[in-house]
Amino acid sequence: MTATRADLHTDRPTVADGAALWRIAKDSNALDLNSSYSYLLWCRDFAGTSAVVRDERGEPVGFVTGYIPPDRPGTLLVWQVAVDAAQRGRGLAARLLDGLTERVAAEYDGLTAIETTITPGNTASERLFTSYAERHGATVERTVLFEAGDFPDGPHDPEVLYRIGPLSV
């Protein structure tokens, strides 16, 4: 475990955290909410490439989920980042992201980049990932990964792929 503040610590998510991650994502009003089942599976199958920040009671108050794409083993794709409203403004998302990439770089040989998608206008995510790139001396490449018309379930903003690298973690 890595300390983030005196009363908070980060570690890997467990299946028991799935419901809390779903609630934090739901309450964010910014993330595409996945089924509660998917958060349970995520905590089981991708705990090694994800992280939670816990309060003094051990309850999750923030998370970052990610995975290593099979065809790009040097890349960590960050799926979602969210922090409970009561904990925002403390730099937890940046600390989670830094800590996760440091851990993944140590455990998975050859981490050279991270990727994420951000919808236009999500200023908080844009700032989080551009400041991450600055802290790590990396460049940011932006390309549209999915156009608005690619989504079959109604109106959706395009998803812009941010590729950050090369990393020096």
Side-chain angles (χ1 to χ4, degrees):
M1 290 185 224
T2 304
T4 57
R5 297 276 197 247
D7 59 337
L8 301 173
H9 67 275
T10 62
D11 64 10
R12 296 171 191 251
T14 67
V15 171
D17 297 324
L21 271 58
W22 179 84
R23 179 197 52 79
I24 293 167
K26 179 178 178 281
D27 292 348
S28 76
N29 295 317
L31 295 177
D32 286 340
L33 185 64
N34 299 297
S35 70
S36 57
Y37 176 68
S38 68
Y39 290 91
L40 294 169
L41 279 176
W42 204 279
C43 290
R44 184 190 81 159
D45 294 341
F46 298 105
T49 52
S50 300
V52 295
V53 62
R54 299 179 188 283
D55 64 14
E56 63 280 351
R57 297 179 328 272
E59 295 298 317
V61 295
F63 69 89
V64 58
T65 54
Y67 65 92
I68 306 285
D71 62 340
R72 292 184 314 285
T75 300
L76 172 66
L77 188 129
V78 175
W79 183 264
Q80 290 187 321
V81 179
V83 174
D84 188 82
Q87 299 291 336
R88 291 184 194 144
R90 299 177 71 181
L92 295 181
R95 290 173 180 268
L96 275 166
L97 192 55
D98 287 345
L100 177 61
T101 56
E102 185 178 315
R103 176 167 45 89
V104 169
E107 294 178 6
Y108 296 81
D109 190 36
L111 183 66
T112 59
I114 67 166
E115 292 181 342
T116 194
T117 61
I118 302 173
T119 55
N122 184 339
T123 307
S125 286
E126 290 168 352
R127 285 183 189 145
L128 174 65
F129 285 95
T130 56
S131 68
Y132 174 88
E134 290 169 6
R135 284 191 308 279
H136 295 277
T139 60
V140 181
E141 296 176 15
R142 296 172 186 88
T143 56
V144 174
L145 182 62
F146 300 118
E147 298 283 352
D150 291 338
F151 295 89
D153 58 347
H156 194 291
D157 289 331
E159 290 285 344
V160 177
L161 177 69
Y162 281 56
R163 181 166 174 80
I164 301 169
L167 293 178
S168 58
V169 276

